[in-house]
Amino acid sequence: PAKKKFFGVDTVTLKKVIPLGLMFFCILFNYTILRDTKDVLVVTAKGSSAEIIPFLKTWVNLPMAIGFMVIYTKLSNVLSREALFYACILPFIGFFGSFAFLLYPLRDILHPTALADHLLSVLGPRFLGPIAIFRNWTFVLFYVMAELWGSVVVSVLFWGFANQITTVDEAKQFYPLFGLGANVALVFSGRTVKYFSELRGRLGPGVDGWGMSLKGMMSIVVMLGFAICGIYWWVNAFVVNDPNLPKIEKKKKKSKPKMSMGESAKFLLNSRYIRDLATLVVAYGISINLVEVTWKSKLKAQFPSPNDYSSFMGDFSTWTGVVTFSMMLLSRVIFRKYGWGVAAAITPSVLLVTGVAFFSLVLFSDPLTPFLGGIGLTPLMAAVYVGALQNIFSKSAKYSLFDPCKEMAYIPLDEDTKVKGKAAIDVVCNPLGKSGGALIQQVLILSFGSLASSTPYLGAILLVIVLAWLGAARSLDKQFTPMVQEDLK
């Protein structure tokens, strides 16, 4: 019988794609709320400042991510796929709920303020960052859980589930569309955070406004968390076993003994395919971080007043959304016409071109001054604009091309490699990329005294990393395309 179509798509397929889209929307809506809240919490806390963030990323986030990875690998050996999903997501929902209603109201009792003050007076202000982590430990815990929500729930749980129930053909069609949903989620959750922030201004004197809006926002996070579980349950109960849906080729699972953490790591390092995938993720993390911090230091020099700075960032976010939306629509054409290899090479190429332009502006500002003056720009303003373009294009290339490419690459793998490879790459390599960038900057700043004087070295490091990334993408393409063609046969 002819299959029913809706907008040119089989209605049977929609039964799978729409719940996945809704699930993705809820997860990202939560992620934006958590991401906006975590920075405010740790940066504005008593006895803390922005200095805390590099320490947090390197010394708290990374160990917690590796710890999660160890537990996840152990659990994946004993639990069924569905039980593993609930075992991972429910602790998050429980934590965010109890943070707003228990931990935050009891913060004065829980935080070791007197001890932290004493340590600060003994060790001196250079240790403000590490002491602030100890002083505001519940906020730090919130920060880490919010970061983990991004890598665990988005990457491991959602994409892992999507890859298990989607064919390569469906993925090429629908993964870019999930990205469109992601942008809509960004807009909505941004407004939500703004609404709760403005609510604080309307409360009477003596009311803890921040505590109130935390309760409001975390209640939404908890409700959507349960909605995610509900959709997941429904898809497993009514969609996965539907005989009308195109079947996913179950890869024969090679019967192999259960592996320890060390053996898993070795197994992943021995697989060239997974190694190339890991290179993509780490290279993206480091290169984005290298440019972003240099750009933000220029931004601060151009807009010293917080109001101007935040109004510029508002425009920046709006444009990121608009460009990403257009890139998403374009990405479907790129995948259809040119295939995986070209799509995977676009993000590093964009980063290379815009990165070279940005660092050249910073390094050769004097000889360029007369030319820039002719078009009405100072070298600083030009660097701010080019850095902004660099960030907008690399972020939108990430959402529309890099992420779908990375996720598609998992589909032809066998079940075991898929589960373990995905967890290792998403949970360990993501923070490794971020903290790798942070560590390179910490070393350069300590060696050369400031970000400005280490700029030429940052530029050179960026070049090396992007070239390694392009090499890994080419190598992956040679392995991925034959595997997919074999699947289609």
Side-chain angles (χ1 to χ4, degrees):
K3 291 186 173 174
K4 283 194 190 139
K5 299 259 185 183
F6 180 76
F7 282 126
V9 179
D10 295 342
T11 43
V12 207
T13 307
L14 287 178
K15 189 173 167 185
K16 185 192 315 184
V17 174
I18 290 174
L20 278 177
L22 280 173
M23 200 168 151
F24 196 46
F25 179 88
C26 294
I27 291 173
L28 283 164
F29 190 98
N30 274 0
Y31 183 45
T32 311
I33 288 186
L34 296 171
R35 199 177 51 192
D36 290 350
T37 309
K38 74 182 168 66
D39 286 334
V40 179
L41 267 176
V42 297
V43 175
T44 60
K46 286 194 191 101
S48 178
S49 70
E51 264 92 354
I52 190 176
I53 291 181
F55 287 100
L56 249 176
K57 283 202 157 144
T58 315
W59 309 111
V60 187
N61 257 1
L62 195 59
M64 288 276 281
I66 292 170
F68 172 83
M69 173 61 210
V70 175
I71 298 168
Y72 182 83
T73 311
K74 290 240 189 306
L75 287 177
S76 74
N77 286 336
V78 292
L79 293 178
S80 71
R81 197 178 80 198
E82 286 179 51
L84 183 62
F85 184 93
Y86 298 123
C88 289
I89 197 169
L90 291 171
F92 281 103
I93 301 173
F95 174 79
F96 293 127
S98 57
F99 181 83
F101 291 91
L102 281 176
L103 295 177
Y104 184 80
L106 294 174
R107 63 192 181 284
D108 293 336
I109 302 167
L110 295 169
H111 288 178
T113 310
L115 181 54
D117 287 340
H118 173 67
L119 285 172
L120 196 59
S121 64
V122 173
L123 297 168
R126 269 189 318 179
F127 286 90
L128 175 78
I131 291 173
I133 291 180
F134 166 67
R135 178 197 298 268
N136 299 301
W137 67 270
T138 61
F139 296 176
V140 166
L141 198 56
F142 183 93
Y143 186 95
V144 173
M145 291 293 276
E147 285 268 310
L148 277 176
W149 178 274
S151 46
V152 173
V153 182
V154 178
S155 305
V156 179
L157 300 184
F158 174 77
W159 284 114
F161 180 52
N163 293 342
Q164 271 158 344
I165 66 169
T166 315
T167 64
V168 172
D169 208 36
E170 290 171 339
K172 282 189 176 165
Q173 232 181 332
F174 296 111
Y175 280 12
L177 290 181
F178 287 161
L180 286 179
N183 278 315
V184 180
L186 286 178
V187 174
F188 277 106
S189 44
R191 305 316 302 165
T192 307
V193 172
K194 197 173 166 59
Y195 168 78
F196 280 108
S197 309
E198 287 173 349
L199 194 69
R200 292 206 282 280
R202 297 204 289 271
L203 293 167
V207 179
D208 177 8
W210 179 232
M212 290 290 290
S213 60
L214 257 183
K215 282 180 183 160
M217 290 191 291
M218 290 310 114
S219 302
I220 293 179
V221 167
V222 170
M223 285 187 318
L224 289 182
F226 285 125
I228 295 163
C229 293
I231 297 170
Y232 179 79
W233 172 83
W234 187 83
V235 172
N236 274 305
F238 300 105
V239 180
V240 175
N241 303 319
D242 186 329
N244 299 323
L245 281 170
K247 278 287 162 264
I248 315 303
E249 283 301 312
K250 278 271 187 270
K251 289 277 172 180
K252 297 285 177 287
K253 196 168 175 183
K254 295 173 187 155
S255 58
K256 49 171 29 159
K258 303 282 189 216
M259 298 191 291
S260 72
M261 183 66 188
E263 287 163 339
S264 296
K266 206 165 116 189
F267 154 73
L268 296 173
L269 284 173
N270 288 340
S271 155
R272 179 175 146 215
Y273 194 91
I274 296 284
R275 240 191 355 254
D276 287 337
L277 253 176
T279 309
L280 258 59
V281 175
V282 174
Y284 175 81
I286 293 181
S287 38
I288 262 293
N289 260 323
L290 288 182
V291 183
E292 204 167 34
V293 175
T294 316
W295 173 58
K296 286 196 171 148
S297 67
K298 296 283 165 218
L299 202 57
K300 193 168 179 216
Q302 176 66 43
F303 302 114
S305 117
N307 278 341
D308 300 343
Y309 190 111
S310 79
S311 110
F312 184 88
M313 287 313 283
D315 295 338
F316 169 77
S317 303
T318 308
W319 279 107
T320 306
V322 172
V323 174
T324 308
F325 203 83
S326 327
M327 288 278 287
M328 296 277 181
L329 299 174
L330 191 64
S331 70
R332 294 185 69 179
V333 182
I334 295 171
F335 276 117
R336 248 203 326 270
K337 266 202 150 132
Y338 304 104
W340 191 92
V342 173
I346 290 179
T347 310
S349 311
V350 165
L351 259 161
L352 189 61
V353 175
T354 50
V356 167
F358 174 71
F359 280 113
S360 309
L361 267 175
V362 174
L363 291 173
F364 308 115
S365 53
D366 294 344
L368 287 171
T369 306
F371 165 71
L372 291 170
I375 51 173
L377 286 174
T378 61
L380 181 60
M381 196 63 205
V384 165
Y385 280 145
V386 172
L389 283 175
Q390 199 274 344
N391 264 284
I392 288 171
F393 280 110
S394 49
K395 282 199 165 66
S396 60
K398 175 191 194 291
Y399 294 130
S400 54
L401 294 165
F402 181 78
D403 286 350
C405 274
K406 182 184 79 178
E407 298 309 330
M408 273 177 216
Y410 289 109
I411 295 174
L413 297 173
D414 67 77
E415 198 60 27
D416 205 41
T417 319
K418 212 185 265 187
V419 172
K420 294 197 167 137
K422 190 152 189 31
I425 289 178
D426 288 334
V427 181
V428 179
C429 296
N430 269 336
L432 201 62
K434 285 183 185 164
S435 44
L439 276 174
I440 291 172
Q441 282 153 350
Q442 285 169 32
V443 170
L444 287 175
I445 291 169
L446 290 174
S447 315
F448 299 104
S450 74
L451 255 182
S453 45
S454 51
T455 303
Y457 303 97
L458 282 174
I461 292 171
L462 179 72
L463 184 65
V464 172
I465 286 170
V466 173
L467 291 174
W469 178 357
L470 279 164
R474 193 169 299 128
S475 152
L476 246 184
D477 185 35
K478 285 182 186 144
Q479 301 166 73
F480 171 75
T481 311
M483 282 166 89
V484 175
Q485 276 154 358
E486 202 152 287
D487 265 15
L488 291 178
K489 278 177 202 158

